[in-house]
């Protein structure tokens, strides 16, 4: 009888120890790996903040260039008189290269296309961007993104007036700049972030993060839906970050 009692006590104590070990492990696992996940999620959030900061700076830079051209007597006169000399002096491909632009579009006060110059774009890309530009007809000023064939462009629009800004606007100027490989490399160098673009086909959640193994390295991949210049959820920013030890 004493042996049976000792046996029962041994079983109870042993079971209690196993339960305690399991509970301790679960607490450690939850706390430790929860902390790691929070750290990784923080890294993802920081990465998107870096991207937002750089792209917003690019938007501001484009708007500054745009207003230099839109608030200019020569540009104002060009809309008044269709001055060929303005085109020959200011609207050559070298100008777009210097300003890092893919397109410069002039619109009259009715929103009709007055003059357009492009650089390094396919015809279908030009047509889609022009369509987006013409959709901004009711906006005096606008800036935002548009996705074309997995390429993202910044579009900025301003009304045209004289250098002293006293003349009534006689049209609008639109500039288009691509988020190109140079800017993507800068984002990579600054934040160690690989950024890619996708169209939102409706299958993406507002934001999702998951892990992938590639060449024995662990990566965090995250996707975030971005609004385009029209306020629509058409663009997905996808980032990948190496989190291997």
């Amino acid at each position: 009888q004493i042996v049976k009692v000792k046996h029962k006590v041994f079983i109870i104590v042993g079971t209690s120890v196993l339960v305690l070990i399991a509970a301790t492990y679960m607490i450690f696992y939850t706390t430790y790996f929860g902390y790691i996940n929070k750290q990784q999620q923080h890294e993802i959030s920081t990465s998107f903040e870096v991207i937002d900061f750089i792209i917003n700076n690019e938007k501001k830079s484009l708007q500054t260039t745009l207003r230099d051209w839109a608030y200019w007597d020569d540009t104002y006169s060009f809309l008044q008189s269709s001055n060929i000399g303005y085109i020959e002096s200011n609207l050559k491909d070298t100008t777009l290269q210097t300003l890092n632009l893919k397109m410069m579009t002039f619109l009259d006060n009715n929103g009709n296309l007055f003059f357009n110059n492009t650089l390094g774009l396919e015809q279908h890309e030009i047509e889609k961007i022009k369509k987006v530009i013409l959709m901004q007809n009711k906006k005096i000023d606008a800036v935002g993104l548009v996705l074309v064939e997995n390429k993202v462009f910044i579009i900025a629009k301003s009304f045209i007036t004289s250098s002293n800004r006293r003349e009534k606007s006689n049209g609008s100027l639109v500039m288009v700049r691509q988020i190109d490989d140079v800017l993507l490399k800068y984002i990579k160098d600054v934040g160690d972030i690989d950024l890619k673009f996708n169209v939102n086909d409706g299958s993406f959640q507002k934001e999702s993060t998951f892990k992938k193994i590639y060449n024995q390295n662990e990566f965090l991949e995250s996707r975030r839906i971005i609004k385009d210049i029209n306020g629509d959820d058409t663009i997905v920013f996808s980032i990948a970050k190496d989190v291997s030890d």
Side-chain angles (χ1 to χ4, degrees):
Q1 187 70 26
I2 295 175
V3 173
K4 287 184 178 180
V5 170
K6 286 183 177 180
H7 183 66
K8 287 182 179 179
V9 170
F10 176 78
I11 292 174
I12 292 170
V13 171
T15 302
S16 298
V17 170
L18 290 175
V19 170
L20 181 61
I21 291 172
T24 302
Y25 175 78
M26 288 301 297
I27 291 171
F28 170 78
Y29 183 91
T30 302
T31 303
Y32 179 74
F33 285 97
Y35 171 76
I36 293 298
N37 287 335
K38 286 180 181 178
Q39 286 296 102
Q40 291 174 342
Q41 189 58 50
H42 176 70
E43 288 184 18
I44 291 296
S45 296
T46 301
S47 296
F48 278 115
E49 287 174 5
V50 169
I51 293 167
D52 289 343
F53 179 80
I54 292 173
I55 291 179
N56 284 336
N57 274 351
E58 198 68 15
K59 287 179 181 177
K60 291 176 183 177
S61 170
L62 182 57
Q63 285 180 301
T64 298
T65 301
L66 173 66
R67 287 165 183 157
D68 284 343
W69 280 72
Y71 306 162
W72 185 25
D73 289 339
D74 287 10
T75 302
Y76 186 80
S77 297
F78 173 57
L79 266 291
Q80 293 284 84
S81 61
S82 303
N83 183 5
I84 299 299
Y86 179 89
I87 297 174
E88 294 175 348
S89 300
N90 299 294
L91 300 181
K92 293 183 177 180
D93 288 352
T94 52
T95 300
L96 273 68
Q97 290 173 343
T98 301
L99 299 177
N100 189 25
L101 299 178
K102 290 297 184 180
M103 183 182 293
M104 285 181 72
T105 302
F106 296 80
L107 306 171
D108 64 23
N109 265 338
N110 294 319
N112 299 315
L113 188 65
F114 183 83
F115 182 84
N116 189 59
N117 193 20
T118 66
L119 180 68
L121 293 175
E122 299 291 337
Q123 188 59 40
H124 69 278
E125 294 173 335
I126 294 171
E127 294 305 319
K128 183 165 184 178
I129 293 172
K130 281 167 61 176
K131 183 178 179 180
V132 173
I133 289 172
L134 294 175
M135 289 174 65
Q136 313 307 311
N137 186 33
K138 295 183 180 180
K139 299 177 183 177
I140 298 174
D141 291 289
V143 63
L145 306 177
V146 63
L147 178 72
V148 181
E149 303 279 332
N150 292 331
K151 298 176 185 177
V152 172
F153 300 87
I154 303 172
I155 295 178
K157 177 186 178 183
S158 173
F159 64 92
I160 292 172
T161 184
S162 58
S163 298
N164 60 17
R165 305 186 194 181
R166 293 178 181 175
E167 297 294 336
K168 183 180 179 180
S169 175
N170 61 357
S172 301
L173 175 59
V174 180
M175 290 183 172
V176 180
R177 179 177 292 168
Q178 184 180 350
I179 300 179
D180 57 12
D181 291 341
V182 174
L183 189 59
L184 291 175
K185 183 179 183 302
Y186 178 71
I187 291 172
K188 171 71 173 177
D189 292 342
V190 170
D192 192 25
I193 306 161
D194 290 309
L195 173 62
K196 294 182 180 179
F197 311 115
N198 301 99
V199 63
N200 181 17
D201 58 6
S203 64
F204 296 104
Q205 299 177 2
K206 198 69 177 177
E207 183 174 336
S208 58
T209 303
F210 49 92
K211 290 182 180 180
K212 275 191 173 182
I213 305 296
Y214 182 73
N215 286 343
Q216 298 183 334
N217 289 331
E218 186 178 36
F219 288 86
L220 277 181
E221 289 194 5
S222 188
R223 295 168 178 168
R224 179 175 291 182
I225 297 173
I226 305 296
K227 292 186 180 298
D228 62 23
I229 192 170
N230 296 315
D232 298 323
D233 295 333
T234 60
I235 305 171
V236 177
F237 280 7
S238 302
I239 65 173
K241 198 167 183 67
D242 190 344
V243 293
S244 304
D245 293 332

